Amino acid sequence: MASQTKLKKPNSHFSLCTFLFFTVLFTIPALFLLRTSSSCSSSTTAAVSPSSDTNQPPWSGDLQTAQFAWNRLSFSLTNPPPKTLRLAVFSRKWPTGPNPGGMERHAFTLYTALARRGHHVHVFTSPLDPSPQTNKITSASDKTINPTIHSHGDAEPGKWRYNKAWELYQEENKKEPFDVVHTESVALPHWIAREVPNLAVSWHGIALESLQSSIYQDLIRKPGEPRSQGFNASLYGAVLPKILDEIRFFHNYAHHIAISDSCGEMLRDVYQIPEKRVHVILNGVDENGFKSDKKLRSLFRSKLGLQENSSAIVLGAAGRLVKDKGHPILYEAFAKLIETHSNVHLVVAGSGPWENRYKELGEKVTILGSLNPNELKGFYNGIDLFVNPTLRPQGLDLTLMEAMLSGKPVMASRYASIKRSIVVNDEFGFMFAPNVEALTAVMEVAVAEGAERLAERGRKCKEYAAEMFTASKMALAYERLFLCIKDQRFCIYP
């Protein structure tokens, strides 16, 4: 008798999600490969290339068509701005303590610099922390050099309510209209942003990059280690739909500021934002706060028990000690390294779950905990090589820029954002696939080079960073973009 067993009908929703997942996964690298060959030859080389001996003529034209980082262009810091702007900024949080997050630091650094350039900056943000630490970051009494802070009420400190902030903005805008409105990521939702034609948004990470992060974090699982129960649910139920939603609603923002070259390409090629509305401006850090200092180096290394003439190689890492920052692979790679090398040390600045694991490695590892900016200066000066093993491709880590400004070479995960915008020259350091074997291999190479060669690399890093990653360069690029949004005459460079 013939079997009466019925075949189960495939789950159409799961099949669609699976199709979309692999479409995105394999299409994006292909797009990068196709774009890189053309964009690297036409856009990047046409720009002013810091520390380059090419004979390319200086770039000129409509800045809105530039597909390279505006940091590569020359803007005058000594000349006052041609027009004083009234700027409105939406930021979920404003730094109120000694260890703010990356997005908060970006907002503070950028808008303090623009205020000191003479622009009238108004920041709309969540309630500030009333603790004494708050006033260590900003001074409310000094209105001439600091932004004016408007923190909305009806919420706990740091709890963002965009509708309350928008009400404050509308009141202030009635007094005198703002020239440009800027939002840090989706602090200002797209359904409000679409009604603001003079608005620019800075993207510090997009969902498409989060998809890559999920992949990299899953790839470091041990053989036989079960996949996280929430992995598939998160991937199919949250990440993929979020990517599709972003592609649809990103168009509601008039101008898009990508903080890395690769993010700019994603916005143009995948999110399909018109090229003239996408602008690449790399983040910057305080050039006065991060610089080479021999005294700080000696003091820091003496605290580690190292003599002045010690040949020991000190590796440093900074940030939250969590999985997605790459600490599982750094822990294992360094454990392997010290099996064959006795003259290496690892210094970790940060706190988190992996702190106790690092302590298992003994005296070769020093955990400093979270450091304030002044303490970070000593940390960067005291190390020989900065390691960033992050498993999160989104955004562009400020710690890499701080290390390079301090004259240190870097060792970083080989992501398009870092490769295209930071470690653009092999002399600047080392890159590796985000896994234990690859990181161990480049550590071996770096240690074999020795302190003198690493210091030589560091000097070249410092030269490049001083031309590309300073707060001044970032602020001048933003200033020119805001002038361009206000008046098309300023869109023509030079």
Side-chain angles (χ1 to χ4, degrees):
M1 186 169 139
S3 172
Q4 299 298 313
T5 305
K6 279 185 158 184
L7 292 175
K8 288 186 178 180
K9 184 178 179 180
N11 186 317
S12 59
H13 175 71
F14 179 81
S15 299
L16 175 60
C17 288
T18 303
F19 170 76
L20 288 173
F21 169 68
F22 285 105
T23 298
V24 171
L25 177 61
F26 293 110
T27 300
I28 301 313
L31 281 170
F32 284 158
L33 288 173
L34 290 172
R35 282 290 294 181
T36 300
S37 60
S38 61
S39 62
C40 285
S41 60
S42 62
S43 297
T44 307
T45 56
V48 176
S49 180
S51 303
S52 173
D53 57 358
T54 66
N55 294 320
Q56 288 282 346
W59 185 89
S60 62
D62 186 350
L63 285 166
Q64 297 172 103
T65 66
Q67 295 185 23
F68 52 83
W70 289 29
N71 306 58
R72 294 183 176 275
L73 299 172
S74 177
F75 302 108
S76 175
L77 182 61
T78 56
N79 293 335
K83 182 179 180 64
T84 300
L85 297 172
R86 181 170 160 83
L87 305 172
V89 183
F90 287 87
S91 180
R92 291 178 176 176
K93 292 183 180 180
W94 190 251
T96 57
N99 300 300
M103 193 184 304
E104 300 164 53
R105 291 171 60 199
H106 168 266
F108 174 78
T109 301
L110 171 60
Y111 284 104
T112 299
L114 287 175
R116 291 174 179 174
R117 289 276 293 164
H119 299 293
H120 305 301
V121 181
H122 293 255
V123 177
F124 299 90
T125 189
S126 56
L128 304 180
D129 186 344
S131 70
Q133 291 290 339
T134 297
N135 293 326
K136 291 187 178 183
I137 298 295
T138 59
S139 173
S141 62
D142 193 350
K143 303 291 184 181
T144 60
I145 60 173
N146 285 316
T148 300
I149 308 300
H150 304 269
S151 55
H152 65 71
D154 299 330
E156 299 175 358
K159 184 70 174 180
W160 175 243
R161 291 189 176 179
Y162 71 86
N163 55 328
K164 296 294 182 181
W166 181 247
E167 290 173 2
L168 291 178
Y169 162 82
Q170 289 179 309
E171 292 176 7
E172 195 66 32
N173 195 51
K174 286 178 182 177
K175 299 176 185 177
E176 182 182 350
F178 286 99
D179 295 309
V180 177
V181 179
H182 179 227
T183 174
E184 296 284 355
S185 290
V186 291
L188 197 62
H190 65 89
W191 55 87
I192 295 178
R194 66 188 174 196
E195 306 298 332
V196 186
N198 59 335
L199 180 140
V201 55
S202 290
W203 297 117
H204 296 270
I206 60 179
L208 190 55
E209 293 172 315
S210 297
L211 171 63
Q212 298 174 27
S213 178
S214 297
I215 294 170
Y216 287 122
Q217 290 187 56
D218 187 70
L219 288 176
I220 66 169
R221 282 188 301 117
K222 301 293 184 185
E225 179 184 347
R227 178 174 286 137
S228 167
Q229 290 184 352
F231 180 81
N232 286 336
S234 173
L235 196 61
Y236 295 116
V239 178
L240 280 175
K242 186 176 181 181
I243 293 172
L244 297 174
D245 287 344
E246 282 190 353
I247 292 174
R248 291 187 175 96
F249 77 68
F250 268 32
H251 288 263
N252 290 332
Y253 294 89
H255 294 273
H256 300 254
I257 303 168
I259 64 170
S260 71
D261 293 276
S262 63
C263 180
E265 287 195 352
M266 290 183 192
L267 292 175
R268 289 187 293 264
D269 298 344
V270 183
Y271 284 58
Q272 303 172 39
I273 307 297
E275 292 182 353
K276 294 186 74 171
R277 291 168 54 192
V278 177
H279 322 286
V280 180
I281 301 177
L282 309 181
N283 286 343
V285 295
D286 181 10
E287 58 267 40
N288 297 315
F290 297 97
K291 56 181 65 175
S292 299
D293 189 314
K294 292 182 178 179
K295 290 183 178 180
L296 285 177
R297 177 177 174 81
S298 297
L299 179 61
F300 184 88
R301 292 173 76 90
S302 67
K303 291 180 179 179
L304 295 178
L306 299 177
Q307 299 296 322
E308 186 74 28
N309 59 350
S310 171
S311 61
I313 303 298
V314 179
L315 310 179
R320 292 179 296 113
L321 308 188
V322 293
K323 178 182 177 180
D324 63 2
K325 290 294 186 179
H327 290 286
I329 65 174
L330 178 57
Y331 169 87
E332 288 196 41
F334 189 75
K336 290 184 176 183
L337 185 69
I338 58 179
E339 290 177 358
T340 54
H341 295 80
S342 59
N343 66 330
V344 292
H345 295 261
L346 175 63
V347 181
V348 183
S351 58
W354 277 82
E355 182 173 346
N356 290 330
R357 293 296 306 278
Y358 278 120
K359 290 179 180 178
E360 296 172 4
L361 299 180
E363 61 182 13
K364 292 294 184 180
V365 179
T366 302
I367 307 296
L368 301 177
S370 298
L371 302 182
N372 63 41
N374 283 329
E375 292 170 328
L376 276 174
K377 295 176 187 178
F379 163 77
Y380 285 123
N381 274 282
I383 64 177
D384 296 295
L385 176 66
F386 182 74
V387 185
N388 187 333
T390 183
L391 301 175
R392 302 176 72 244
Q394 57 263 54
L396 205 59
D397 204 321
L398 296 176
T399 58
L400 290 168
M401 301 175 182
E402 293 169 348
M404 291 176 72
L405 269 176
S406 302
K408 303 302 172 183
V410 297
M411 181 177 285
S413 305
R414 188 183 291 109
Y415 299 137
S417 57
I418 299 174
K419 186 176 181 180
R420 291 283 309 283
S421 299
I422 296 185
V423 190
V424 299
N425 188 316
D426 290 342
E427 278 295 298
F428 298 162
F430 311 85
M431 302 200 77
F432 57 92
N435 61 65
V436 174
E437 293 74 19
L439 177 53
T440 304
V442 293
M443 280 184 169
E444 294 274 2
V445 172
V447 171
E449 284 191 356
E452 188 173 334
R453 171 65 177 128
L454 292 175
E456 181 184 348
R457 288 179 178 273
R459 287 188 287 272
K460 294 178 180 178
C461 284
K462 182 179 179 180
E463 292 174 5
Y464 183 74
E467 296 181 9
M468 288 289 288
F469 305 139
T470 65
S472 299
K473 178 57 75 80
M474 173 182 66
L476 290 170
Y478 270 87
E479 177 184 270
R480 187 58 176 267
L481 172 60
F482 294 158
L483 286 167
C484 172
I485 293 173
K486 172 65 178 176
D487 188 334
Q488 287 286 306
R489 291 179 304 155
F490 296 110
C491 296
I492 305 302
Y493 180 89

